[in-house]
Amino acid sequence: MTVHDRVKTPAEMLSLDGRVAFVTGAGSGIGRAGAVAMAQCGAHVVVTDRDEALARDTAAAITSSGGSASAQGLDVTDDAALEAAIGQAADRHGRLDILHSHAGIQIEGKLEQVAPGEMDASWNLNVRAHFVAARAAIDPMRQQGGGSIIITASNSGVQYDREMIAYATTKHAAVAMTRQMAADYARDNIRFNTLCPGFIDTPFNAGFEVQMGGRTELERYIAETIPMGRWGTTAEIADAIVFLASDMSTFMTGHALVVDGGECI
């Protein structure tokens, strides 16, 4: 019998006790909710965000509830800083079990409305930063026998949004890149999956709000177009993050986990 054959209880499978998670864009919204949820399951969470004050606030929320966390400011478009932060976290804690590369950007507009510089910004955050982060996590994960890398894409990575060329293009690229990495590192027991949320009520939806003509029109779209007829919550996406990070998903790699109330059906 191998370790994967032994029947575990649901509590054992969801436990992240003794594990170390590194999260980018964890100062607010989905990133914060996922960091808090992983800490509640026992992980030490290295909370990072471009806004260091927000990172510290997330870490304080974790520690005040009895969890374990540290915080630092981090611009994920700075390759050297991102690589160093992940390497230092692995060295400091002696391991790196989970990478949730979450930070991203949403720029609205169709082809003639998006400047080349805006497409570059989308690519740098929504694809390149994930590439750099995952690359930095490979060595410590391989040395310890495996790990889980979660890359935030979007349900825009499995469907096409009107007048969102930069966002949809880069999110499709993130899904494809993650599948390629999953194939390349499956034998190292390093799992790669993309998290593909739909409409979650956070400030990140500003681009869609502009593109749809204001908050009222966005609310109407959600009520009429999404089969479940509502926004998702950050807590619902945090549940998906814990699932991908934990032993609940040990035979799952190269998957785009869509959590969008049925919008992409």
Side-chain angles (χ1 to χ4, degrees), residues 64-79:
S64 67
S65 298
S68 178
S70 55
Q72 67 184 90
L74 178 64
D75 179 353
V76 297
T77 64
D78 183 333
D79 293 353

Side-chain angles (χ1 to χ4, degrees), residues 31-211:
R32 177 185 173 108
V36 170
M38 287 191 285
Q40 289 173 338
C41 290
H44 172 83
V45 183
V46 181
V47 177
T48 73
D49 196 276
R50 184 176 60 179
D51 186 331
E52 185 172 353
L54 290 178
R56 292 189 180 280
D57 185 64
T58 297
I62 290 171
T63 57
S64 67
S65 298
S68 178
S70 55
Q72 67 184 90
L74 178 64
D75 179 353
V76 297
T77 64
D78 183 333
D79 293 353
L82 179 55
E83 291 174 352
I86 292 173
Q88 289 165 6
D91 290 343
R92 183 178 305 115
H93 300 288
R95 60 187 305 111
L96 178 65
D97 301 278
I98 302 149
L99 167 66
H100 181 197
S101 186
H102 173 68
I105 190 172
Q106 185 186 97
I107 293 173
E108 75 282 353
K110 56 187 178 181
L111 179 60
E112 63 208 274
Q113 297 170 325
V114 175
E118 291 177 309
M119 176 58 92
D120 289 342
S122 297
W123 188 265
N124 287 339
L125 268 165
N126 295 345
V127 184
R128 180 186 172 89
H130 297 315
F131 169 87
V132 173
R135 190 170 182 273
I138 288 296
D139 188 54
M141 287 187 175
R142 181 193 285 123
Q143 289 184 36
Q144 70 196 28
S148 175
I149 295 178
I150 305 163
I151 290 176
T152 298
S154 166
N155 70 344
S156 296
V158 297
Q159 64 179 6
Y160 295 94
D161 292 304
R162 301 297 181 264
E163 300 182 12
M164 294 291 284
I165 188 170
Y167 191 68
T169 298
T170 54
K171 293 303 185 178
H172 273 76
V175 170
M177 180 178 69
T178 303
R179 293 189 70 185
Q180 178 66 55
M181 294 187 294
D184 290 341
Y185 292 96
R187 293 299 178 95
D188 293 304
N189 196 34
I190 302 174
R191 300 185 296 108
F192 289 83
N193 293 288
T194 45
L195 177 70
C196 297
F199 279 104
I200 311 302
D201 196 5
T202 73
F204 190 76
N205 291 305
F208 277 110
E209 188 171 320
V210 170
Q211 185 258 345

